[in-house]
Amino acid sequence: MVQQINNCRICKEKSCASKVLRMEQLDELGNNCRTIPLEKGETILHEGSFTSHVIYLRNGLIKETMRGVDKKEQIFRIIKGKTYLGMSSLFGDTVNHFSYKALTDLEVCHIEIGTFKKLMLENAEFTYKIMSSLCKENLHSYDKLLKQGQKKIFGRLADALLFFSEDIFESTKFTLPLTQQEIANFIGTSRETTARGLSNFKQNKLITLNNSEVEILDINSLKQVSKNG
Amino acid sequence: MVQQINNCRICKEKSCASKVLRMEQLDELGNNCRTIPLEKGETILHEGSFTSHVIYLRNGLIKETMRGVDKKEQIFRIIKGKTYLGMSSLFGDTVNHFSYKALTDLEVCHIEIGTFKKLMLENAEFTYKIMSSLCKENLHSYDKLLKQGQKKIFGRLADALLFFSEDIFESTKFTLPLTQQEIANFIGTSRETTARGLSNFKQNKLITLNNSEVEILDINSLKQVSKNG
DNA sequence: AATTCATTGTGATATTTATCACGTGGCATT
DNA sequence: AATGCCACGTGATAAATATCACAATGAATT
């Protein structure tokens, strides 16, 4: 596992918040920050561990999970690059409420928490950006809670496909980053029901699916399913 | 609707965050803040309206709601006094994502948003407390999302009763602040199923229930239902 | 007290979704 | 090529929950 001291000034993958830092603040960040490459499948943080530093996902894809009843995995979010991980646990508690696992090879930065807090105290705009992203995360959870409670399964499955297409891959063609079991854990259903849903979409020509290669053929119908299904 | 200019220095119902404000900051807050008494049933904020000021619930009880599929009401939280309302919408978007309705007579303070932001810029500890409460709210949503997805209905109903008893009323005897329809909207089920659940708990001597007067008789069994049900 | 209207309780039935069971196919390892 | 291991597909069945229907009760208003 290679480590390197960062030059955050020239980083091409700055967070929305760190873009507002001044040069000397970026240097301070860089001096208290390590970039770590990880391979697909590795765990970044374990649910239940003490919070110790801020983790920034530079690039790649991560699943945010929690264990529920009978240790059953619940996937809350699929997170792409330029995102801080586990902020709610960090500022709202002393232990991590979630685990994070790499869905692709990726790089994370570990930032010393004292440094991070110092930057927050020094730079109100930075803090404001962080707060704003926390609030967006919060709105997203509420939105998901609403959907989970009121939509039927095929609607939630359609949502997941649209989410991958529009938010993650920005294309109508993509490779599913999750197994069907994981998709089930993401939308709150069983593997079998997920498989049936995908078969159904395939039969009705809403999508094509070979192995985990998806192409969305009829996005309007898929949105219709998301709405009414 | 009576309005009064506030003296926040002597306010007995300060938020956790405003407790760290200095005297002159409290005065500034008071000069840009109006306390408004509201009656049970009144709406404080409407989903979809533009965010305009910070709202602080001094005392009383509120339901936080959103309309979902077919305008069906989803109740996300029951909120008691000393809580800021709608912060996620305020800092994460430009419109309110939720409605807030008074479940009791209560008082709210409207705080001018510029003043609030100014205090955040001036006082890092204040900002930190606000952030921390946002993070706790966030963790709470995730927790609810997990429960909603993985627990069966009677378990969620037991959770709701325990929540009222432990978090809201701090007593094993209390008056339900919601109708059965609202409890259903809170735990994500139908009115009938809620009624059946309550009957079931009554029959099994976990609770007594007359009109909306509840007494929890067997809290351990209720927690058992919460866990396994 | 009579009236009205919202709320609650409960049986019967329908629908949705989970679970069980088992077969298939791809892919890595030997 | 044989082996084992996952992930996937799908039928049959069971379980959980929603929906429909209607009676009963309670609270508010006249």
Side-chain angles (χ1 to χ4, degrees):
Chain A
M1 203 178 278
V2 181
Q3 294 195 351
Q4 56 182 88
I5 294 186
N6 287 37
N7 185 340
C8 292
R9 283 197 194 202
I10 59 165
C11 177
K12 300 282 184 214
E13 282 154 330
K14 283 195 192 70
S15 73
C16 171
S18 64
K19 278 183 188 157
V20 307
L21 291 177
R22 293 186 300 275
M23 284 301 159
E24 76 272 17
Q25 291 176 326
L26 283 171
D27 291 341
E28 171 143 26
L29 185 59
N31 290 333
N32 294 281
C33 167
R34 294 289 178 280
T35 299
I36 302 170
L38 291 173
E39 279 173 29
K40 181 174 173 171
E42 288 192 88
T43 300
I44 291 106
L45 265 186
H46 282 280
E47 177 181 354
S49 62
F50 283 112
T51 56
S52 57
H53 38 250
V54 176
I55 294 178
Y56 178 63
L57 178 62
R58 288 182 69 163
N59 48 53
L61 226 49
I62 273 185
K63 65 172 177 177
E64 181 184 57
T65 66
M66 202 189 257
R67 299 271 162 196
V69 180
D70 298 329
K71 305 277 176 192
K72 198 175 151 189
E73 178 189 79
Q74 168 79 37
I75 302 181
F76 288 113
R77 290 191 297 165
I78 305 302
I79 304 173
K80 62 180 178 178
K82 308 195 186 184
T83 311
Y84 293 102
L85 305 179
M87 300 289 276
S88 296
S89 304
L90 198 59
F91 294 106
D93 199 353
T94 57
V95 300
N96 290 302
H97 286 224
F98 314 106
S99 298
Y100 294 93
K101 273 191 192 157
L103 294 174
T104 63
D105 294 352
L106 52 79
E107 291 177 310
V108 294
C109 301
H110 284 211
I111 303 165
E112 206 277 301
I113 185 160
T115 306
F116 199 81
K117 284 189 182 168
K118 184 154 174 281
L119 291 174
M120 281 177 53
L121 293 186
E122 283 175 13
N123 190 319
E125 202 185 342
F126 179 72
T127 311
Y128 196 83
K129 296 272 185 192
I130 298 287
M131 259 194 67
S132 173
S133 74
L134 276 168
C135 288
K136 285 186 181 124
E137 184 181 331
N138 215 344
L139 292 177
H140 174 267
S141 323
Y142 277 106
D143 189 56
K144 180 150 182 176
L145 194 47
L146 186 71
K147 282 180 187 156
Q148 197 94 333
Q150 300 196 349
K151 281 193 185 185
K152 278 178 279 175
I153 301 280
F154 282 18
R156 274 141 57 188
L157 181 58
D159 280 343
L161 292 174
L162 290 167
F163 166 72
F164 289 136
S165 167
E166 293 174 352
D167 295 347
I168 299 292
F169 299 108
E170 299 173 23
S171 161
T172 54
K173 268 186 172 174
F174 56 89
T175 307
L176 282 175
L178 303 178
T179 64
Q180 293 193 0
Q181 180 63 65
E182 287 176 314
I183 295 174
N185 297 345
F186 184 43
I187 64 179
T189 184
S190 65
R191 179 191 66 78
E192 294 91 329
T193 301
T194 301
R196 274 184 254 270
L198 291 172
S199 295
N200 179 298
F201 292 171
K202 231 190 316 191
Q203 270 176 21
N204 292 319
K205 312 259 185 245
L206 304 188
I207 62 170
T208 59
L209 173 63
N210 309 305
N211 302 328
S212 46
E213 301 298 323
V214 174
E215 179 173 5
I216 296 182
L217 299 177
D218 185 349
I219 198 163
N220 290 324
S221 297
L222 205 55
K223 283 184 178 170
Q224 211 55 38
V225 173
S226 154
K227 228 182 191 173
N228 308 322
Chain B
M1 199 177 278
V2 182
Q3 295 195 350
Q4 56 182 87
I5 293 186
N6 288 36
N7 184 340
C8 293
R9 284 197 192 201
I10 59 167
C11 176
K12 300 283 185 215
E13 284 154 330
K14 282 195 192 69
S15 72
C16 172
S18 65
K19 278 181 187 157
V20 308
L21 291 176
R22 292 186 300 276
M23 282 303 157
E24 77 273 16
Q25 292 176 327
L26 283 172
D27 291 341
E28 172 143 25
L29 185 58
N31 290 333
N32 294 281
C33 167
R34 295 289 178 279
T35 300
I36 302 170
L38 291 173
E39 281 175 27
K40 182 174 171 170
E42 288 191 270
T43 300
I44 292 105
L45 265 186
H46 282 280
E47 177 181 354
S49 63
F50 283 113
T51 56
S52 57
H53 38 250
V54 175
I55 295 178
Y56 179 63
L57 177 63
R58 288 182 70 162
N59 48 53
L61 225 50
I62 272 185
K63 65 172 175 175
E64 180 183 58
T65 66
M66 202 188 258
R67 299 271 163 196
V69 181
D70 298 329
K71 305 276 174 194
K72 199 174 149 187
E73 178 190 80
Q74 168 79 39
I75 301 181
F76 289 113
R77 292 190 296 164
I78 305 302
I79 304 173
K80 62 180 178 180
K82 307 196 185 182
T83 310
Y84 293 102
L85 305 180
M87 300 289 274
S88 296
S89 304
L90 198 56
F91 293 108
D93 200 352
T94 55
V95 299
N96 289 302
H97 286 224
F98 313 107
S99 298
Y100 294 94
K101 272 191 191 156
L103 295 173
T104 63
D105 292 353
L106 53 80
E107 290 175 312
V108 293
C109 301
H110 283 210
I111 304 164
E112 206 277 301
I113 186 161
T115 306
F116 199 82
K117 284 188 182 170
K118 183 156 175 279
L119 291 174
M120 281 177 51
L121 293 187
E122 283 175 14
N123 191 320
E125 203 184 340
F126 178 73
T127 310
Y128 196 82
K129 295 271 186 194
I130 298 287
M131 260 196 65
S132 172
S133 75
L134 275 168
C135 289
K136 283 182 183 128
E137 184 183 330
N138 216 342
L139 293 176
H140 174 268
S141 321
Y142 278 107
D143 190 55
K144 181 150 182 174
L145 194 47
L146 187 71
K147 281 180 187 155
Q148 196 96 333
Q150 300 196 349
K151 280 194 185 185
K152 277 177 280 177
I153 302 278
F154 283 17
R156 274 139 60 185
L157 181 58
D159 281 342
L161 292 173
L162 290 166
F163 166 72
F164 289 135
S165 166
E166 294 174 352
D167 295 346
I168 300 290
F169 300 108
E170 297 173 24
S171 162
T172 54
K173 268 187 175 176
F174 56 89
T175 307
L176 282 175
L178 302 178
T179 64
Q180 292 190 3
Q181 179 63 64
E182 287 175 314
I183 295 175
N185 297 346
F186 185 42
I187 65 179
T189 184
S190 64
R191 179 191 66 77
E192 294 91 330
T193 301
T194 302
R196 275 184 252 270
L198 291 171
S199 295
N200 179 299
F201 292 171
K202 233 190 314 189
Q203 270 176 21
N204 293 319
K205 312 254 184 252
L206 304 189
I207 62 171
T208 60
L209 173 62
N210 310 305
N211 303 329
S212 47
E213 301 297 323
V214 174
E215 181 172 6
I216 295 181
L217 299 177
D218 185 349
I219 197 163
N220 290 325
S221 298
L222 206 55
K223 284 184 177 169
Q224 211 56 38
V225 173
S226 155
K227 228 182 191 173
N228 308 321

